[in-house]
Amino acid sequence: MSGPGDPPEGTPEGAPGGGEDEYRSVVFDESFVRAARLQEYSALERMADHAPAVRRRPPLHRGLSRQALILVLLIAVAFGTAIYMGVRNPYQSSATRRAVDPLRMTVVPLAPQGPVPGTADTGSLFAHSPAAQFRVGAEGIPLPAARRTAHFSDSQVVTALTTAKEYLVRSSLYPEVLTGQEVQPVRGLIDAEQLDQFDEGFSRPAADGRHAPTGWLVRFDPARVELADRKVRVQGTLTVTETDSATLEVTAEHTFVYALRPAGADAKAPASLFTVRRELLFRFDREDLRTRQTQIVSATVQAGPLSCAEDSANRLRPLLAGQTAAGRPAGTDPYATGSAVGLCGTLDAGAEPKF
């Protein structure tokens, strides 16, 4: 006789025996039943309301899983942090920075009162000049102690000072810049808003107080002179001040002394000293500090021995050992418009070596 769970005809042929059915692996647990979209009415409900056998249940609105909730929280935190950092960012965006002024420059040649002294021994030249105690190269541009200001941190002040020093080194000491072969080392440190003025000055130089290459850097005419000693003597100071909550300014006052001889001359040819005093005012906003570039507000250059008859705006053409300046300093027209041009001074005899 068949068991209570078997069909009257017995187990169909080919079906698993022992009362096992093919759906035994499906587990109808409580969560499965509750999730079903169809629900059977009870017999009492069907008798009372003549309702159909089943009814459709509204879909369950499950809450977020733990992983999804954590992901949402992380996104919210990241978004909030981005907004906070945008508000607190110590650097201004270029869209909100104030306009950058063009560089104002004055280049004053200094004419000697007599023949330029010289000797083949460059060490003796320096030793008998006011530059005897000057340091060599970048050592002559020491950084002052950097202290935070009301609106700028110690590191930002250091960045302003080191960028100004780097500009002085590249524009006054790099041999390839001094000989007129390169300008890119200097150009790379200039604020993007001043690059048009810089490029125009080198493509169309003019002694108009705006477009003199020698206002940006020191460079000699390589067809006339060359360095007799690459050890340039330097002395000067850097000072930094906060002009407002968004601006730092660095004032640089330095004297550079070069030993020069005629281009192509041998080492036994007499050399002479050439002195350049540079007073530069650098300006840094927060964007400049971020990019490690600078705005140059003003540049005053006094250089000699030079002849006032020579054009000193594009390249410096120093008078060398034994040479004298032709004529007297040219006159300056006080009625001329624009920046002062045609300026020329006299090189004090005490600024030259004494043998």
Side-chain angles (χ1 to χ4, degrees), residues 67-160:
Q67 291 85 349
L69 183 59
I70 292 175
L71 179 60
V72 170
L73 287 175
L74 288 175
I75 293 173
V77 170
F79 186 70
T81 302
I83 294 177
Y84 176 79
M85 293 301 294
V87 173
R88 300 284 296 177
N89 189 354
Y91 301 112
Q92 290 178 322
S93 68
S94 57
T96 60
R97 66 191 306 212
R98 67 185 181 187
V100 176
D101 297 326
L103 167 61
R104 305 185 307 273
M105 59 184 72
T106 304
V107 180
V108 182
L110 302 176
Q113 302 179 54
V116 177
T119 179
D121 182 3
T122 58
S124 178
L125 270 177
F126 286 115
H128 289 84
S129 77
Q133 303 303 318
F134 285 15
R135 296 181 179 181
V136 175
E139 293 183 359
I141 314 175
L143 295 178
R147 295 183 177 87
R148 65 181 301 119
T149 63
H151 299 92
F152 292 89
S153 66
D154 293 340
S155 63
Q156 289 173 318
V157 173
V158 169
T159 296

Coordinates of all heavy atoms in Angstrom, one line a residue, residues 67-160:
Q67 N 26.0 48.7 3.2 CA 27.1 49.2 2.3 C 26.7 50.4 1.6 O 27.4 51.3 1.4 CB 27.4 48.0 1.3 CG 28.1 46.8 2.0 CD 27.2 45.8 2.6 OE1 26.0 46.2 2.7 NE2 27.7 44.7 2.9
A68 N 25.4 50.4 1.1 CA 24.9 51.6 0.4 C 24.9 52.8 1.3 O 25.2 53.9 0.9 CB 23.5 51.3 -0.2
L69 N 24.5 52.6 2.6 CA 24.4 53.7 3.5 C 25.8 54.3 3.8 O 26.0 55.5 3.8 CB 23.8 53.3 4.8 CG 23.6 54.3 5.9 CD1 22.7 55.5 5.4 CD2 23.0 53.7 7.1
I70 N 26.8 53.4 3.9 CA 28.2 53.9 4.1 C 28.7 54.7 2.9 O 29.3 55.7 3.0 CB 29.1 52.7 4.4 CG1 28.7 52.1 5.8 CG2 30.5 53.1 4.4 CD1 29.5 50.8 6.1
L71 N 28.3 54.2 1.7 CA 28.8 54.8 0.5 C 28.2 56.2 0.4 O 28.9 57.2 0.1 CB 28.4 54.0 -0.7 CG 28.8 54.6 -2.1 CD1 30.3 54.8 -2.2 CD2 28.3 53.7 -3.2
V72 N 26.9 56.3 0.7 CA 26.2 57.7 0.7 C 26.9 58.6 1.7 O 27.1 59.8 1.4 CB 24.7 57.5 1.0 CG1 24.1 58.9 1.2 CG2 24.0 56.8 -0.2
L73 N 27.2 58.1 2.9 CA 27.9 58.9 3.9 C 29.2 59.4 3.4 O 29.6 60.6 3.6 CB 28.0 58.2 5.2 CG 26.7 58.0 6.0 CD1 26.9 57.1 7.2 CD2 26.1 59.3 6.4
L74 N 30.0 58.5 2.8 CA 31.3 58.9 2.3 C 31.3 59.9 1.3 O 32.1 60.9 1.2 CB 32.1 57.6 1.8 CG 32.5 56.6 2.8 CD1 33.1 55.4 2.1 CD2 33.6 57.2 3.8
I75 N 30.3 59.8 0.4 CA 30.1 60.8 -0.7 C 29.8 62.2 -0.1 O 30.3 63.2 -0.5 CB 29.1 60.4 -1.7 CG1 29.6 59.1 -2.5 CG2 28.7 61.5 -2.7 CD1 28.5 58.5 -3.4
A76 N 28.9 62.1 0.9 CA 28.5 63.4 1.6 C 29.6 64.1 2.3 O 29.8 65.3 2.2 CB 27.3 63.1 2.5
V77 N 30.5 63.2 2.9 CA 31.7 63.8 3.6 C 32.6 64.4 2.6 O 33.2 65.5 2.8 CB 32.3 62.7 4.5 CG1 33.7 63.2 5.0 CG2 31.4 62.3 5.7
A78 N 32.9 63.7 1.5 CA 33.8 64.1 0.5 C 33.3 65.4 -0.1 O 34.1 66.4 -0.3 CB 34.0 63.1 -0.6
F79 N 32.1 65.5 -0.4 CA 31.5 66.7 -1.0 C 31.6 67.9 0.0 O 31.9 69.0 -0.4 CB 30.0 66.5 -1.4 CG 29.4 67.6 -2.1 CD1 29.8 67.9 -3.4 CD2 28.4 68.4 -1.5 CE1 29.2 68.9 -4.1 CE2 27.8 69.4 -2.2 CZ 28.2 69.7 -3.5
G80 N 31.3 67.6 1.3 CA 31.4 68.7 2.3 C 32.8 69.2 2.4 O 33.1 70.4 2.6
T81 N 33.8 68.2 2.4 CA 35.2 68.6 2.5 C 35.6 69.5 1.4 O 36.4 70.4 1.5 CB 36.1 67.4 2.6 OG1 35.6 66.6 3.7 CG2 37.5 67.7 2.8
A82 N 35.2 69.1 0.1 CA 35.6 69.9 -1.0 C 35.0 71.3 -0.9 O 35.7 72.3 -1.3 CB 35.0 69.2 -2.3
I83 N 33.8 71.5 -0.5 CA 33.2 72.8 -0.3 C 34.0 73.6 0.7 O 34.4 74.8 0.5 CB 31.8 72.7 0.1 CG1 30.9 72.1 -1.1 CG2 31.2 74.1 0.4 CD1 29.5 71.9 -0.8
Y84 N 34.3 72.9 1.8 CA 35.1 73.6 2.9 C 36.5 74.1 2.4 O 36.9 75.2 2.7 CB 35.2 72.6 4.1 CG 36.1 73.2 5.2 CD1 35.5 74.1 6.1 CD2 37.4 72.8 5.4 CE1 36.3 74.6 7.2 CE2 38.2 73.3 6.4 CZ 37.6 74.2 7.3 OH 38.4 74.7 8.3
M85 N 37.2 73.2 1.7 CA 38.5 73.5 1.2 C 38.4 74.6 0.2 O 39.3 75.4 0.1 CB 39.2 72.3 0.7 CG 39.5 71.2 1.7 SD 40.6 71.8 3.0 CE 42.1 72.2 2.1
G86 N 37.3 74.6 -0.6 CA 37.2 75.7 -1.6 C 37.0 77.1 -0.9 O 37.5 78.1 -1.4
V87 N 36.3 77.1 0.2 CA 36.1 78.3 0.9 C 37.4 78.7 1.7 O 37.8 79.9 1.7 CB 35.0 78.2 1.9 CG1 34.8 79.4 2.8 CG2 33.7 78.0 1.2
R88 N 38.1 77.7 2.2 CA 39.3 78.0 3.1 C 40.6 78.0 2.3 O 41.6 78.2 2.9 CB 39.4 76.9 4.2 CG 38.2 76.9 5.1 CD 38.2 78.0 6.1 NE 39.3 77.9 7.0 CZ 39.6 78.8 7.9 NH1 38.9 79.9 8.0 NH2 40.7 78.7 8.7
N89 N 40.5 77.7 1.0 CA 41.8 77.6 0.2 C 42.6 78.9 0.3 O 42.1 80.0 0.1 CB 41.4 77.4 -1.3 CG 42.6 77.1 -2.1 OD1 43.7 77.2 -1.7 ND2 42.3 76.8 -3.4
P90 N 43.9 78.8 0.8 CA 44.7 80.0 1.0 C 45.1 80.7 -0.3 O 45.6 81.7 -0.3 CB 45.9 79.4 1.7 CG 46.0 78.0 1.3 CD 44.6 77.6 1.1
Y91 N 44.9 80.0 -1.5 CA 45.2 80.6 -2.7 C 44.0 81.1 -3.5 O 43.0 80.4 -3.6 CB 46.0 79.6 -3.6 CG 47.2 79.1 -3.0 CD1 47.3 77.8 -2.6 CD2 48.3 79.9 -2.7 CE1 48.5 77.3 -2.0 CE2 49.4 79.5 -2.1 CZ 49.5 78.2 -1.7 OH 50.7 77.7 -1.2
Q92 N 44.1 82.3 -4.1 CA 43.0 82.8 -4.8 C 43.0 82.2 -6.2 O 44.0 81.8 -6.7 CB 43.1 84.3 -5.0 CG 42.9 85.1 -3.7 CD 43.1 86.6 -3.9 OE1 44.0 86.9 -4.7 NE2 42.3 87.4 -3.3
S93 N 41.8 82.0 -6.8 CA 41.8 81.6 -8.2 C 42.1 82.8 -9.1 O 42.0 83.9 -8.7 CB 40.4 81.1 -8.5 OG 39.5 82.1 -8.5
S94 N 42.7 82.4 -10.3 CA 43.1 83.5 -11.2 C 41.9 84.3 -11.6 O 42.0 85.5 -12.1 CB 43.8 82.9 -12.4 OG 42.9 81.9 -13.0
A95 N 40.7 83.8 -11.5 CA 39.5 84.5 -12.0 C 39.2 85.7 -11.0 O 38.6 86.7 -11.5 CB 38.3 83.6 -12.1
T96 N 39.6 85.6 -9.8 CA 39.3 86.7 -8.8 C 40.5 87.6 -8.5 O 40.3 88.5 -7.7 CB 38.7 86.1 -7.5 OG1 39.7 85.2 -7.0 CG2 37.5 85.2 -7.8
R97 N 41.6 87.3 -9.0 CA 42.8 88.1 -8.7 C 42.7 89.5 -9.3 O 42.1 89.6 -10.4 CB 44.1 87.4 -9.1 CG 44.3 87.2 -10.6 CD 45.4 86.3 -10.9 NE 46.6 86.7 -10.3 CZ 47.8 86.5 -10.9 NH1 47.9 85.9 -12.1 NH2 48.9 86.8 -10.3
R98 N 43.3 90.4 -8.7 CA 43.3 91.8 -9.3 C 44.2 91.9 -10.5 O 45.1 91.1 -10.6 CB 43.6 92.8 -8.2 CG 45.1 92.8 -7.7 CD 45.3 93.8 -6.6 NE 46.6 93.8 -6.1 CZ 47.0 94.4 -5.0 NH1 46.1 95.1 -4.3 NH2 48.3 94.4 -4.6
A99 N 44.1 93.0 -11.2 CA 44.9 93.2 -12.4 C 46.3 93.3 -12.1 O 46.7 93.9 -11.1 CB 44.3 94.4 -13.2
V100 N 47.2 92.8 -13.0 CA 48.6 92.9 -12.8 C 49.1 94.1 -13.6 O 48.9 94.2 -14.8 CB 49.3 91.6 -13.3 CG1 50.8 91.7 -13.2 CG2 48.8 90.4 -12.5
D101 N 49.9 94.9 -12.9 CA 50.4 96.2 -13.5 C 51.6 95.8 -14.4 O 52.4 94.9 -14.1 CB 50.8 97.2 -12.4 CG 49.6 97.6 -11.6 OD1 48.5 97.7 -12.2 OD2 49.8 97.9 -10.4
P102 N 51.9 96.6 -15.4 CA 53.1 96.4 -16.2 C 54.3 96.8 -15.5 O 54.2 97.7 -14.5 CB 52.8 97.3 -17.5 CG 51.9 98.3 -17.0 CD 51.0 97.6 -16.0
L103 N 55.4 96.3 -15.8 CA 56.7 96.7 -15.2 C 57.1 98.1 -15.6 O 57.1 98.4 -16.8 CB 57.8 95.7 -15.6 CG 59.2 96.1 -15.2 CD1 59.4 96.3 -13.8 CD2 60.2 95.0 -15.8
R104 N 57.5 98.9 -14.6 CA 58.0 100.2 -14.9 C 59.5 100.1 -14.7 O 60.0 99.7 -13.6 CB 57.4 101.3 -14.0 CG 55.9 101.3 -14.0 CD 55.4 102.5 -13.1 NE 55.9 102.4 -11.8 CZ 55.4 101.8 -10.8 NH1 54.3 101.0 -11.0 NH2 55.9 101.8 -9.6
M105 N 60.3 100.5 -15.7 CA 61.7 100.4 -15.6 C 62.5 101.6 -16.0 O 62.0 102.4 -16.8 CB 62.2 99.2 -16.5 CG 61.8 99.4 -18.0 SD 62.2 98.0 -19.0 CE 61.0 96.8 -18.5
T106 N 63.7 101.8 -15.3 CA 64.6 102.9 -15.7 C 66.0 102.3 -15.7 O 66.4 101.6 -14.8 CB 64.5 104.0 -14.6 OG1 63.2 104.5 -14.5 CG2 65.4 105.1 -15.0
V107 N 66.7 102.5 -16.9 CA 68.0 102.1 -17.0 C 68.9 103.3 -17.2 O 68.7 104.1 -18.2 CB 68.2 101.1 -18.3 CG1 69.6 100.7 -18.4 CG2 67.2 99.9 -18.1
V108 N 69.8 103.5 -16.3 CA 70.7 104.6 -16.3 C 72.2 104.2 -16.5 O 72.8 103.6 -15.7 CB 70.6 105.4 -14.9 CG1 71.5 106.6 -15.0 CG2 69.2 105.7 -14.6
P109 N 72.7 104.5 -17.7 CA 74.2 104.3 -17.9 C 75.0 105.3 -17.1 O 74.7 106.4 -17.0 CB 74.3 104.5 -19.4 CG 73.2 105.4 -19.8 CD 72.1 105.1 -18.9
L110 N 76.2 104.8 -16.7 CA 77.1 105.6 -15.9 C 78.4 105.7 -16.7 O 79.1 104.7 -17.0 CB 77.4 105.0 -14.5 CG 76.1 104.8 -13.6 CD1 76.5 104.1 -12.4 CD2 75.4 106.1 -13.3
A111 N 78.7 107.0 -17.1 CA 79.9 107.2 -17.9 C 81.1 107.5 -17.1 O 81.0 108.2 -16.1 CB 79.6 108.4 -18.9
P112 N 82.3 106.9 -17.4 CA 83.5 107.1 -16.6 C 84.1 108.5 -16.9 O 83.8 109.1 -18.0 CB 84.4 106.0 -17.0 CG 84.0 105.7 -18.5 CD 82.5 105.9 -18.5
Q113 N 84.8 109.0 -15.9 CA 85.4 110.4 -16.1 C 86.8 110.3 -16.8 O 87.3 111.3 -17.2 CB 85.6 111.0 -14.7 CG 84.2 111.2 -14.0 CD 84.4 111.8 -12.7 OE1 84.9 112.9 -12.5 NE2 83.8 111.2 -11.6
G114 N 87.3 109.1 -16.9 CA 88.6 108.9 -17.6 C 88.7 107.5 -18.2 O 87.7 106.8 -18.3
P115 N 89.9 107.1 -18.5 CA 90.1 105.8 -19.1 C 89.7 104.7 -18.1 O 89.9 104.8 -16.9 CB 91.6 105.7 -19.4 CG 92.0 107.1 -19.5 CD 91.2 107.9 -18.5
V116 N 89.1 103.6 -18.6 CA 88.7 102.5 -17.7 C 90.0 101.7 -17.2 O 90.7 101.3 -18.1 CB 87.7 101.6 -18.4 CG1 87.4 100.4 -17.5 CG2 86.5 102.4 -18.8
P117 N 90.2 101.6 -15.9 CA 91.3 100.8 -15.5 C 91.2 99.3 -15.7 O 90.1 98.8 -15.7 CB 91.4 101.1 -14.0 CG 90.0 101.5 -13.6 CD 89.4 102.1 -14.8
G118 N 92.3 98.6 -15.9 CA 92.2 97.2 -16.2 C 93.5 96.5 -16.0 O 94.6 97.1 -16.0
T119 N 93.4 95.2 -15.9 CA 94.6 94.3 -15.8 C 94.2 92.9 -16.1 O 93.0 92.6 -16.0 CB 95.2 94.3 -14.3 OG1 96.3 93.5 -14.3 CG2 94.2 93.9 -13.3
A120 N 95.2 92.1 -16.5 CA 94.8 90.7 -16.9 C 94.5 89.9 -15.7 O 93.8 88.8 -15.8 CB 96.0 90.1 -17.6
D121 N 94.9 90.3 -14.5 CA 94.6 89.5 -13.3 C 93.3 89.9 -12.7 O 93.2 90.9 -12.0 CB 95.8 89.7 -12.3 CG 95.6 88.9 -11.0 OD1 94.6 88.1 -10.9 OD2 96.4 89.1 -10.1
T122 N 92.3 89.1 -12.9 CA 90.9 89.5 -12.5 C 90.9 89.5 -10.9 O 90.1 90.3 -10.3 CB 89.9 88.5 -13.0 OG1 90.2 87.2 -12.6 CG2 89.8 88.6 -14.5
G123 N 91.6 88.6 -10.3 CA 91.7 88.6 -8.8 C 92.2 89.9 -8.3 O 91.6 90.4 -7.3
S124 N 93.2 90.5 -8.9 CA 93.7 91.8 -8.5 C 92.7 92.9 -8.8 O 92.5 93.8 -8.0 CB 95.0 92.1 -9.3 OG 95.5 93.4 -8.9
L125 N 91.9 92.8 -9.9 CA 90.9 93.8 -10.1 C 89.9 93.8 -9.0 O 89.6 94.9 -8.5 CB 90.1 93.4 -11.4 CG 90.7 93.9 -12.8 CD1 89.8 93.3 -13.9 CD2 90.7 95.4 -12.8
F126 N 89.4 92.7 -8.6 CA 88.4 92.7 -7.5 C 89.0 93.1 -6.2 O 88.4 93.8 -5.4 CB 87.8 91.3 -7.4 CG 86.8 90.9 -8.4 CD1 87.1 89.9 -9.3 CD2 85.6 91.6 -8.6 CE1 86.2 89.5 -10.3 CE2 84.7 91.3 -9.6 CZ 85.0 90.2 -10.4
A127 N 90.2 92.7 -5.9 CA 90.9 93.0 -4.6 C 91.1 94.5 -4.5 O 91.1 95.0 -3.3 CB 92.2 92.3 -4.5
H128 N 91.3 95.2 -5.6 CA 91.5 96.7 -5.5 C 90.3 97.5 -5.8 O 90.4 98.7 -6.1 CB 92.6 97.1 -6.5 CG 94.0 96.6 -6.1 ND1 94.4 95.3 -6.4 CD2 95.0 97.2 -5.4 CE1 95.6 95.1 -5.9 NE2 96.0 96.3 -5.3
S129 N 89.1 96.9 -5.7 CA 87.9 97.6 -5.9 C 87.0 97.6 -4.7 O 87.2 96.8 -3.8 CB 87.1 96.9 -7.1 OG 86.5 95.7 -6.7
P130 N 85.9 98.3 -4.7 CA 84.9 98.3 -3.6 C 84.3 96.9 -3.4 O 83.6 96.6 -2.4 CB 83.9 99.3 -3.9 CG 84.6 100.3 -4.8 CD 85.6 99.5 -5.6
A131 N 84.4 96.0 -4.5 CA 83.8 94.7 -4.4 C 84.7 93.7 -3.8 O 84.4 92.5 -3.8 CB 83.4 94.2 -5.8
A132 N 85.8 94.1 -3.1 CA 86.8 93.2 -2.6 C 86.2 92.2 -1.5 O 86.5 91.0 -1.5 CB 87.9 93.9 -1.9
Q133 N 85.2 92.7 -0.8 CA 84.6 91.9 0.3 C 83.2 91.2 -0.2 O 82.6 90.6 0.6 CB 84.4 92.7 1.5 CG 85.6 93.3 2.1 CD 86.7 92.3 2.4 OE1 86.4 91.2 2.9 NE2 88.0 92.6 2.0
F134 N 82.9 91.4 -1.4 CA 81.6 90.9 -1.9 C 81.7 89.3 -2.0 O 82.8 88.8 -2.2 CB 81.3 91.4 -3.3 CG 80.7 92.8 -3.3 CD1 80.9 93.7 -2.2 CD2 80.1 93.3 -4.4 CE1 80.4 95.0 -2.2 CE2 79.6 94.6 -4.4 CZ 79.8 95.4 -3.3
R135 N 80.6 88.7 -1.8 CA 80.6 87.2 -2.0 C 80.4 86.9 -3.4 O 80.1 87.7 -4.3 CB 79.4 86.6 -1.2 CG 79.5 86.8 0.3 CD 78.4 86.2 1.0 NE 78.5 86.3 2.5 CZ 77.6 85.8 3.3 NH1 76.5 85.1 2.9 NH2 77.7 86.0 4.6
V136 N 80.6 85.6 -3.7 CA 80.6 85.1 -5.1 C 79.2 84.5 -5.4 O 78.7 83.7 -4.7 CB 81.7 84.1 -5.4 CG1 81.6 83.5 -6.8 CG2 83.1 84.7 -5.2
G137 N 78.6 85.0 -6.5 CA 77.4 84.4 -7.0 C 76.2 84.5 -6.1 O 76.0 85.5 -5.4
A138 N 75.5 83.4 -6.0 CA 74.2 83.4 -5.2 C 74.5 83.6 -3.7 O 73.6 83.9 -3.0 CB 73.5 82.1 -5.5
E139 N 75.7 83.3 -3.2 CA 76.0 83.5 -1.8 C 75.9 85.0 -1.4 O 75.7 85.3 -0.3 CB 77.4 83.0 -1.5 CG 77.6 81.5 -1.6 CD 79.0 81.1 -1.2 OE1 79.8 81.9 -0.9 OE2 79.2 79.8 -1.3
G140 N 76.0 85.9 -2.4 CA 75.8 87.3 -2.2 C 74.4 87.7 -2.1 O 74.1 88.9 -1.9
I141 N 73.4 86.8 -2.2 CA 72.0 87.1 -2.1 C 71.4 86.3 -0.9 O 70.6 85.3 -1.2 CB 71.3 86.8 -3.4 CG1 72.0 87.3 -4.6 CG2 69.9 87.4 -3.4 CD1 71.5 87.0 -5.9
P142 N 71.8 86.6 0.3 CA 71.3 85.8 1.4 C 69.8 86.0 1.7 O 69.3 87.2 1.4 CB 72.2 86.2 2.6 CG 72.6 87.6 2.2 CD 72.7 87.7 0.7
L143 N 69.1 85.0 2.2 CA 67.7 85.2 2.6 C 67.6 85.7 4.0 O 68.3 85.2 4.9 CB 67.0 83.9 2.4 CG 66.9 83.3 1.0 CD1 66.1 81.9 1.1 CD2 66.1 84.2 0.1
P144 N 66.8 86.7 4.2 CA 66.6 87.1 5.6 C 65.8 86.1 6.4 O 65.2 85.2 5.8 CB 65.8 88.4 5.5 CG 65.1 88.3 4.2 CD 66.0 87.4 3.3
A145 N 65.7 86.2 7.7 CA 64.9 85.3 8.5 C 63.4 85.5 8.1 O 62.9 86.7 8.0 CB 65.0 85.6 10.0
A146 N 62.7 84.5 7.8 CA 61.3 84.5 7.3 C 60.4 84.4 8.5 O 60.5 83.4 9.3 CB 61.1 83.4 6.3
R147 N 59.5 85.3 8.7 CA 58.5 85.3 9.7 C 57.1 85.5 9.1 O 57.0 86.3 8.2 CB 58.8 86.4 10.8 CG 60.1 86.2 11.6 CD 60.2 87.2 12.6 NE 61.5 87.0 13.4 CZ 62.6 87.5 13.1 NH1 62.8 88.2 12.0 NH2 63.7 87.3 13.9
R148 N 56.2 84.8 9.7 CA 54.8 84.9 9.2 C 54.3 86.3 9.4 O 54.8 87.1 10.2 CB 53.9 83.9 9.9 CG 53.7 84.2 11.4 CD 52.8 83.1 12.1 NE 51.5 83.2 11.5 CZ 50.9 82.1 10.9 NH1 51.6 81.0 10.8 NH2 49.7 82.2 10.3
T149 N 53.4 86.7 8.5 CA 52.7 88.0 8.6 C 51.3 87.8 9.1 O 50.9 86.7 9.4 CB 52.8 88.8 7.3 OG1 52.0 88.0 6.3 CG2 54.2 88.9 6.8
A150 N 50.5 88.9 9.1 CA 49.1 88.8 9.6 C 48.3 87.8 8.8 O 47.4 87.1 9.3 CB 48.5 90.2 9.6
H151 N 48.6 87.7 7.4 CA 47.7 86.9 6.6 C 48.5 85.9 5.8 O 47.9 85.2 4.9 CB 47.0 87.8 5.6 CG 46.1 88.8 6.3 ND1 46.4 90.1 6.6 CD2 44.8 88.7 6.7 CE1 45.5 90.7 7.2 NE2 44.4 89.9 7.3
F152 N 49.8 85.8 6.0 CA 50.6 84.8 5.2 C 51.5 84.0 6.2 O 52.0 84.5 7.2 CB 51.5 85.5 4.2 CG 50.8 86.2 3.1 CD1 50.3 87.5 3.2 CD2 50.5 85.5 1.9 CE1 49.7 88.1 2.2 CE2 49.9 86.1 0.9 CZ 49.4 87.4 1.0
S153 N 51.6 82.7 5.9 CA 52.3 81.8 6.8 C 53.8 81.9 6.6 O 54.3 82.5 5.6 CB 51.9 80.3 6.5 OG 52.2 80.0 5.2
D154 N 54.6 81.2 7.4 CA 56.0 81.2 7.3 C 56.4 80.7 5.9 O 57.3 81.2 5.3 CB 56.7 80.3 8.4 CG 56.5 81.0 9.8 OD1 56.3 82.2 9.9 OD2 56.6 80.2 10.8
S155 N 55.8 79.6 5.5 CA 56.2 78.9 4.3 C 55.8 79.8 3.1 O 56.6 79.9 2.1 CB 55.4 77.6 4.1 OG 54.0 77.8 4.0
Q156 N 54.8 80.6 3.1 CA 54.4 81.5 2.0 C 55.4 82.7 1.9 O 55.8 83.1 0.9 CB 53.0 82.0 2.2 CG 51.9 81.0 2.0 CD 50.6 81.5 2.3 OE1 50.3 82.1 3.3 NE2 49.6 81.2 1.5
V157 N 55.9 83.2 3.1 CA 56.9 84.2 3.1 C 58.2 83.7 2.5 O 58.9 84.3 1.7 CB 57.1 84.8 4.5 CG1 58.3 85.7 4.6 CG2 55.8 85.5 5.0
V158 N 58.6 82.5 2.9 CA 59.8 81.8 2.4 C 59.7 81.7 0.9 O 60.6 81.9 0.1 CB 60.1 80.5 3.1 CG1 61.2 79.7 2.3 CG2 60.4 80.7 4.5
T159 N 58.5 81.3 0.4 CA 58.3 81.1 -1.1 C 58.5 82.4 -1.8 O 59.2 82.4 -2.9 CB 56.9 80.6 -1.3 OG1 56.8 79.3 -0.8 CG2 56.6 80.5 -2.8
A160 N 58.0 83.5 -1.3 CA 58.2 84.8 -1.9 C 59.7 85.2 -1.9 O 60.2 85.6 -3.0 CB 57.4 85.9 -1.1

